Amino acid sequence: MDFKCNDIDGATVTLTSSEGGLESDDNEDFALKYEALFSSNDLSPDLQLKAPGGPGQNDVSVSESYGGSTDLASGITASLSVTTTEAAKWAGGYSDTLTVNVTSN
């Protein structure tokens, strides 16, 4: 994805899992653990969300603030990858909404 912020103070990136994991379609409020990683060769450190899974975990988020730079103002390439870290216990579908929010500092 392209990532750009031309605020001299930089930007804060927030990853939010609405269900706290991959929620089972059949067993509502039960979710599987996963890890989401927002990364770029031009930003440090990487931002990692470890969705805890289990019952009742909603709106789990992590944030990282990145300072302003000419590279960030011009635009850089970033990626978002998601890896499941727990096997499904029940058959059926699992889903979550993962939101990436970028706010100028």
Side-chain angles (χ1 to χ4, degrees), residues 5-6 15 29 33-34 36 39 42 45 53 60-61 65 68 70 77-78 81 85 88 96 98:
C5 179
N6 61 356
L15 297 179
D29 218 22
K33 298 175 187 177
Y34 72 81
S39 62
D42 299 305
V60 175
S61 65
S65 181
T70 55
T77 301
S81 60
T85 58
D96 189 19
L98 181 61

Side-chain angles (χ1 to χ4, degrees), residues 16-82:
T16 303
S17 164
S18 64
E19 301 299 339
L22 293 172
E23 185 177 62
S24 170
D25 293 344
D26 295 330
N27 186 7
E28 175 104 13
D29 218 22
F30 174 80
L32 300 176
K33 298 175 187 177
Y34 72 81
E35 294 179 3
L37 181 67
F38 175 86
S39 62
S40 172
N41 289 336
D42 299 305
L43 297 175
S44 183
D46 292 342
L47 177 58
Q48 184 175 38
L49 170 71
K50 293 186 177 190
Q57 301 287 329
N58 293 325
D59 299 322
V60 175
S61 65
V62 294
S63 295
E64 185 66 50
S65 181
Y66 299 102
S69 69
T70 55
D71 287 341
L72 189 55
S74 299
I76 60 173
T77 301
S79 65
L80 180 65
S81 60
V82 177

